[in-house]
Every structure is written in C-alpha cells, then in structure tokens.
Amino acid sequence: MQAPPPNPGNKKQSIVTAPLSSPIGFGIVLAFISIFFTLSIVGCSSRGTGPISSKADEIAPKDEADRQLWLAEKALPGEGVEHLLLALAIYNERKEPEKSRPIIDELSNTQLTTRQYEHFAVLAASNAMQAANPDTALLYFDNAPQDAYSSAPLNLQLQAIELQADALYLTKRYLAAAQLRVFNSGLYTGESYWQNQDSVWRALKAAPSMEISKALDNAYDYSWRGWLELITAIRQNQFSLEMQLESLRDWQANWTDHDANLQLPAELAMLSELPQLRPKKLALILPLTGKLAKAGGAIRDGFLAAYYKDDNNDTIIDIFNSETYETAIDQYLELQLLGYDLVIGPLKKDDVNDLALLPQLSPPVLALNYLDDQFEAINGLYQFGLSADDEVRQILNMLERQGKQHITVIYSEGEWAYKLVENIEIWALRSGRPSILTYRVESSDNVSDGIANLLQIEASKARAKQLNKLIGKVEFEPRRREDIDAVILLTSPSRARQIKPLLAFHYAGDI
C-alpha cells in the first residue's frame, strides 16, 4: 500500500485555477525534468558538492534510473530529491510500479519545496492511476501547497488537470470532473481544446440529474452555467430525436457566445444529422413462436414502446416472425424486394450465421446476436448482442477501475457458467491479480452452508470456542474472511434471490 502523500504546507482545493495548454505524454515531462535537474546538478557541482566518487569501485550504474538512485544516495542531505524524482519519472514511463512505489514512499516522508511537490504530485498520481487507485491520486493534489501550479510550466499544469479530472471521473464525482475541465478550458489549445470539450460532455452525461439541478442553482460562471443548461435541455428531451434537436437549437440561440456553441461536442454535432439518416421503412425480424417466443415478444414490446413514445417518429415498422420461414436467407431475400431501409434481426445465432453466407447485405442488417467464430462478417452486417461474455467483460472492467484485487465467483452448474469462470480466471492471471476464489452451487447443495464455508464462518466460530475454553465465556460475533473485495454471481434469477440474502446473513453484506 502506498504511503499517504505528504502535506508540505497549506492545503489547496483540488481544482487547478492557474492558466494552462495542451496535454503531453510523460516523454516530454521526462525531457523537461531531465533538463531542469541537469542544470540543478551542474549548479551543485560548481559549489564542490558533486556526488560522484573517483574510486574505481563506485562506478555509476549504466541504467539511467538506477544511476539517478545511485546519485541520490551520494548527494548531500536535501540535494537528492531531484535525482529521486527523475528516477520516478523513468520508472513511471516504463510502467514498473514495484520500483516506483519505494521512491514515492521515500518522497512522501521528505520535506519538498513547492516546485518539487508539483513534479512529485503528477508522478505519484500517475502511478496511483496506473494501479487503479484514483482516490489515492486525488490525495496528492489535495495536499499540495496553496500556490502549487500557479507558475508551473504549462505542460505540468495540464498533466495535473488531466490526472485530477480522470481520477474524479473514476471515483464517480462526475460533476466535479466536468467543472475542473470547464474552469481550466482556456489553458488548452488546438485539437486538445476540443478534446477537452468532449470530455466535459462525457462527464456531464454521467452526472446524476439531481446533482446537476442543484449545481444550476448556484452556477454564476457563464461558461459553467451554459454547460449545465445544455445537458439539462438534452436530458429532458431524450425520448424524441426531434425534441432533442429542437432543444439544442434553442440552447444555441440563447448561448451564442458559449464555448460549446463554437464547436459542439462530437455527439451533439451528430445529433443534427440523425433525422436525415433515420430509416423510413424498417423490418423487425423476431421469433414470435417456438422456444424463443418469450424473448422475441419482449424485444418487440420494447421497440413499440419507444416508437409510440416519440410523436414525431414517422418511420414505418413492420414485424415479421422468423419462425415462419424455412431459412433466414429466404426471409431476407423477400424483404429486399419490399424496399426496406434497415432490417433489425434475426435473434437466433443460426439465422445470423446463415445471413453471413451471402456476399453482402443491402439493406443493412442489425443482427441481434453474434456470428460463430468460424464465420466472417460481411458488408452490411452489424452484430449487436447482449451475451454473457460481454456483460462479464464490462463487470471486470468496472472492478479493475475500482482497484478490486480479490474476486470471488459464485456460479451454478452448466457449460455456460464454466466458460465464464474460465474467462474470469484468465483475466485475473493476465492482470496480475490473486487467484480467483470460486464456489460452484450444485443442485443438491445446502446453499447456506456452502456460503458459510466459502466465507470461513465456521473457522471463526471454532476460534471463538477455543477462546471460551481458555478465558471463559466472551461476547462473540463471527467474522468472515477479509480477502474478498467483490463477488461475481453467475446463476439464474431464482437462485440469485437466495444467494444475495445469504451473503448478508453470513456477514458479507458490505461486499
């Protein structure tokens, strides 16, 4: 675990308010630090304090990072910080956290000047972000001196802003992330200016409506209020493309001088083009009879609910039962003759595989499943599936962002579950995480006992009995094992409704 960041002076707000320009990679920061520290070293050597010994057995290491650590050891007290910072920058660039963290720990316990802390905070926060610890990254900026970054080089200020904004976003402080970027937008130039605008919009989209509403009550800055009114207008009209477009035009008329009006975020710029691109005649192919009739009916009802909610929608939707045709190819060729602009479906994987046998698809097809691996996608075929593989991948990405290390998987019997567990274990191995803890729930299991064994509740009770024998009766509450950060549950809804309360019953309700 990383040591808490040092507090070299007065605290500052996490929002950088000094002027800034376009973000750059660590390579440029490394070059800047190298030049700056080289000048510092030259200055020191002119005073006769050069650390390099002439002894034959004290030859400097060839590796540059190791050489900087060697120089730091040889330096006089208080003069080794620059070497440590340069070594840290090199290890960060190489993505070698096991070598970076000892340096961060040492610098955390060293009194740093404001200039040194500016570099340290960026490097240490970057290391924390690489380790998926955004909360730790923010602490380094929260504990910066009050005047930090007010006169720092532009590239360093921008790195600080980008790291803070990304960390705020990952900790779900979306509104704070957006505000930080808005208040510092004037420091970006060129293409990075518009990229920052897109990042502002992405953060605002993720922010809860209640927070945006409260922020509007106290938004006096012109640019910030304009952004808040823009997201509010779009969100209040999200059920109709035409209403969203109308609200966007109204906003543009009221905020003619706003930054976002000069060039809309990419997503909003596309909004004005969508009405012309919307299909006029659409075919929806679903299994409305047979084994998949229930799933097909649910998809149909969802389409129609969205369709009737939009009063301005003039698209014609025709619904076809895929089970009434011998093959998906026969059905598609018939629809081709009827002049459809878009075909949505089929749902069955075999039907999607059949369509891939055609040379190309015109009109285009938005399939509701994926092709098997042995089939290649063709022009005009778009695959949109909601497979369990996709959902598990999203879960793992979320856990990785949250820095969860110890994952437990509870799963039911079945090939589909075994495959997903295998994928999770491969992910843990590749990401350097501890081995996945698993519990397979079999049909004959007493699930409560199984969960208790998984959480080692009985072992906790056994320890309590031993204590009672040694010191007499004591008050006791069983404790679960502590090496579980998250549980992934792969099972049916009915089984899940049993397992979730049992986790809480066995003292794991906080996972």
Side-chain angles (χ1 to χ4, degrees):
M1 178 177 293
Q2 290 176 297
N7 187 355
N10 296 326
K11 303 286 185 73
K12 69 182 281 289
Q13 297 296 322
S14 61
I15 293 177
V16 177
T17 55
L20 308 165
S21 146
S22 121
I24 59 170
F26 272 105
I28 298 178
V29 171
L30 188 59
F32 171 81
I33 296 176
S34 299
I35 295 170
F36 189 92
F37 293 159
T38 300
L39 294 175
S40 299
I41 295 168
V42 171
C44 291
S45 63
S46 66
R47 295 192 299 272
T49 58
I52 301 178
S53 171
S54 59
K55 294 181 181 180
D57 60 347
E58 293 191 12
I59 298 174
K62 292 183 179 180
D63 180 84
E64 182 58 26
D66 292 342
R67 192 176 78 86
Q68 293 302 324
L69 293 178
W70 183 82
L71 289 171
E73 289 181 359
K74 303 295 180 184
L76 294 175
E79 295 182 358
V81 170
E82 285 82 0
H83 299 296
L84 291 176
L85 287 171
L86 187 52
L88 178 57
I90 295 170
Y91 287 138
N92 271 6
E93 178 73 13
R94 295 177 184 170
K95 292 183 171 54
E96 295 181 301
E98 70 285 352
K99 294 182 178 180
S100 298
R101 283 165 192 155
I103 304 175
I104 293 173
D105 292 341
E106 182 173 349
L107 289 170
S108 295
N109 295 301
T110 302
Q111 188 69 29
L112 304 177
T113 66
T114 297
R115 177 192 60 78
Q116 290 170 338
Y117 193 91
E118 290 168 351
H119 289 286
F120 169 72
V122 166
L123 293 170
S126 176
N127 185 272
M129 292 292 280
Q130 289 179 17
N133 292 320
D135 284 309
T136 301
L138 290 171
L139 285 175
Y140 292 112
F141 295 110
D142 290 341
N143 288 316
Q146 198 166 26
D147 60 341
Y149 301 105
S150 60
S151 59
L154 192 57
N155 59 341
L156 195 62
Q157 295 185 57
L158 283 168
Q159 287 230 12
I161 289 173
E162 288 293 315
L163 284 166
Q164 287 183 83
D166 288 346
L168 287 167
Y169 186 91
L170 292 176
T171 53
K172 298 185 179 181
R173 295 160 64 182
Y174 304 116
L175 211 57
Q179 189 177 48
L180 175 66
R181 290 185 175 279
V182 169
F183 285 0
N184 290 285
S185 61
L187 305 169
Y188 291 81
T189 59
E191 185 60 31
S192 65
Y193 180 86
W194 306 117
Q195 290 172 355
N196 184 60
Q197 300 274 78
D198 285 340
S199 296
V200 170
W201 180 248
R202 180 174 72 109
L204 287 173
K205 281 203 314 172
S209 297
M210 186 64 71
E211 288 186 17
I212 291 173
S213 179
K214 290 180 179 178
L216 260 174
D217 292 339
N218 301 297
Y220 303 108
D221 178 82
Y222 175 84
S223 183
W224 179 231
R225 185 172 186 84
W227 278 109
L228 293 174
E229 290 200 9
L230 176 58
I231 184 61
T232 300
I234 295 298
R235 188 170 284 180
Q236 288 176 344
N237 296 280
Q238 60 186 319
F239 297 112
S240 168
L241 184 59
E242 279 74 15
M243 290 176 65
Q244 277 194 334
L245 189 54
E246 184 179 350
S247 66
L248 175 59
R249 288 169 178 163
D250 288 343
W251 180 90
Q252 288 179 301
N254 293 329
W255 295 86
T256 54
D257 297 327
H258 195 273
D259 297 342
N261 209 359
L262 301 177
Q263 179 174 308
L264 289 171
E267 183 179 292
L268 291 180
M270 186 176 62
L271 182 64
S272 60
E273 302 173 6
L274 290 180
Q276 290 74 38
L277 299 175
R278 184 159 57 187
K280 299 299 182 184
K281 190 176 180 183
L282 184 152
L284 183 58
I285 304 175
L286 296 168
L288 300 177
T289 56
K291 293 181 179 180
L292 293 177
K294 188 174 182 180
I299 296 172
R300 174 201 59 201
D301 294 346
F303 264 85
L304 293 179
Y307 177 80
Y308 288 118
K309 187 171 284 187
D310 186 356
D311 295 332
N312 298 307
N313 196 334
D314 58 355
T315 299
I316 297 171
I317 300 180
D318 293 331
I319 302 171
F320 297 88
N321 185 358
S322 58
E323 300 302 290
T324 60
Y325 289 82
E326 189 170 337
T327 70
I329 292 178
D330 292 338
Q331 185 172 23
Y332 179 77
L333 293 177
E334 181 178 308
L335 294 176
Q336 265 188 330
L337 301 175
L338 298 176
Y340 287 97
D341 301 313
L342 174 66
V343 175
I344 298 181
L347 177 63
K348 292 167 63 176
K349 183 178 284 286
D350 288 343
D351 289 345
V352 180
N353 292 337
D354 285 347
L355 290 181
L357 298 175
L358 294 172
Q360 63 178 14
L361 297 178
S362 180
V365 171
L366 177 64
L368 300 177
N369 210 324
Y370 296 115
L371 292 168
D372 281 329
D373 293 339
Q374 65 267 31
F375 291 88
E376 292 187 7
I378 59 174
N379 288 337
L381 177 61
Y382 301 90
Q383 302 169 67
F384 176 76
L386 297 175
S387 71
D389 285 334
D390 289 338
E391 294 192 43
V392 165
R393 194 177 301 113
Q394 291 176 18
I395 290 171
L396 295 177
N397 289 339
M398 179 189 70
L399 294 178
E400 192 163 21
R401 289 195 301 270
Q402 294 177 352
K404 305 299 184 185
Q405 294 290 323
H406 302 278
I407 312 300
T408 294
V409 182
I410 301 175
Y411 63 102
S412 292
E413 297 175 290
E415 287 299 324
W416 68 274
Y418 303 156
K419 180 182 177 183
L420 293 175
V421 172
E422 182 181 357
N423 290 344
I424 295 171
E425 289 175 335
I426 292 172
W427 166 81
L429 181 63
R430 289 177 177 173
S431 60
R433 280 169 171 72
S435 298
I436 297 296
L437 183 66
T438 61
Y439 166 44
R440 186 174 72 186
V441 182
E442 299 184 4
S443 55
S444 58
D445 276 0
N446 180 320
V447 182
S448 181
D449 289 346
I451 296 293
N453 290 333
L454 172 71
L455 299 173
Q456 298 180 348
I457 300 300
E458 292 304 318
S460 178
K461 291 180 179 178
R463 289 192 296 272
K465 288 180 181 178
Q466 290 178 342
L467 282 175
N468 284 335
K469 290 180 181 179
L470 291 173
I471 62 176
K473 189 173 182 180
V474 295
E475 290 188 11
F476 164 74
E477 181 177 279
R479 295 178 62 187
R480 65 168 176 85
R481 61 190 302 164
E482 296 298 322
D483 59 340
I484 299 177
D485 292 337
V487 173
I488 299 176
L489 188 56
L490 306 173
T491 186
S492 66
S494 58
R495 178 68 84 179
R497 283 190 284 270
Q498 298 173 9
I499 294 174
K500 183 70 165 59
L502 285 173
L503 287 169
F505 178 75
H506 291 296
Y507 311 99
D510 59 331
I511 297 179

